[in-house]
Amino acid sequence: MTNITLNINESCSHDKKIHFIEETVKNCVENLNIHSETIKRVIKSMDYVSPKDPTYKLEVLNTLRCITSLLGNIDDDIDSLRNI
């Protein structure tokens, strides 16, 4: 799970606070891009599995679990942005 936190010291200057917010958003967007690319690779990996393969159902189930987990991470990142 991705956890993005924003810690701003109240005594920081306005510019420093803005910088911290920008860095947090930048990190979140990078995480979203990584999750997106991972989901694409996971889906693409299904190209190598045939429905005739005895482990096909297990592969599909594992793929769906992986995607579900990554979508949860994306949701966590979006929630982090809401908390800024």
Side-chain angles (χ1 to χ4, degrees), residues 20-47:
F20 286 136
I21 292 170
E22 288 171 345
E23 285 299 310
T24 300
V25 171
K26 179 181 148 196
N27 290 337
C28 186
V29 169
E30 287 174 7
N31 286 341
L32 292 171
N33 287 329
I34 290 169
H35 297 319
S36 174
E37 289 304 314
T38 304
I39 288 172
K40 287 177 189 176
R41 285 194 304 269
V42 167
I43 292 170
K44 183 73 175 158
S45 73
M46 288 305 296
D47 289 346

Side-chain angles (χ1 to χ4, degrees), residues 51-62:
K52 295 178 182 177
D53 189 329
T55 62
Y56 180 75
K57 287 182 182 178
L58 181 60
E59 291 294 331
V60 170
L61 184 61
N62 287 338

